[in-house]
Structure formats: structure tokens, C-alpha cells
Amino acid sequence: MSPAVKYTLGRLGLFVVVFALLLPVPLAFLVKAMIALLASAGFSYFLLAKWRNEMAEQLGTVAERRQAEKARLRAALAGDEAAAAAGDRATPSTQED
């Protein structure tokens, strides 16, 4: 399971738990939801730090890969044949003639 999905489900789970704990409290439904939202955000900061860091690393890796691909494409458009060939997915990297 991806770190983003784990973190999102963890945040949702914390919200549901806090909201369920607030059900017996005599408050309006929306007030309970707002309290549960704020409390679950605070709890997730401490309880889900590991999953949040994993998600951040995954997003950072994806961003780096996209930046490298963007730089390669710009170089290829500028006429750098080596850059174009280095990222060409349509042809195999080792050609036999």
C-alpha cells in the first residue's frame, strides 16, 4: 500500500475515532465534527509522523524524477541528441547492428 494511502486512511481513522468518542457529548453535530477534525489533526501530527515522512519521501522522489525528465526533454528539444537518446523509451538502450 502506498504511503499516501496509508497516511490518508490513518487520518480518516483518527477522525472517526475522535468523532465516535464525542457522540455521547451533548453538542451540535457540526460542533462535534469540527472538534473531531481539529483533534484528529493534532493527534495525527504526533501519531502518524512516520507515515507522513514516508509519504513526503515518496512525493520528493516523484518530483525529482519529473524534474530530471523535464530537463532531459528540454535538452532534447534544444538539439542535444545524447539527452534525447538517453531517455528514449521506444528504442532499447543497447542496439546491435
Side-chain angles (χ1 to χ4, degrees):
M1 183 181 313
S2 88
V5 172
K6 284 193 314 190
Y7 181 70
T8 302
L9 291 177
R11 288 284 308 257
L12 184 62
L14 281 174
F15 172 79
V16 169
V17 167
V18 173
F19 187 76
L21 291 174
L22 289 173
L23 283 178
V25 178
L27 291 172
F29 180 79
L30 289 177
V31 173
K32 290 178 191 178
M34 291 294 287
I35 292 171
L37 182 68
L38 292 173
S40 67
F43 289 143
S44 71
Y45 182 76
F46 297 104
L47 299 176
L48 303 178
K50 179 181 173 188
W51 288 352
R52 184 177 57 252
N53 292 337
E54 289 175 4
M55 181 179 68
E57 287 177 16
Q58 179 192 29
L59 293 175
T61 303
V62 170
E64 287 175 7
R65 188 172 58 235
R66 285 184 181 175
Q67 285 178 343
E69 182 69 12
K70 184 178 178 181
R72 187 199 61 79
L73 287 173
R74 285 186 182 206
L77 288 172
D80 186 358
E81 295 298 324
D88 193 2
R89 295 184 183 119
T91 60
S93 61
T94 57
Q95 295 180 354
E96 295 178 18
D97 288 353

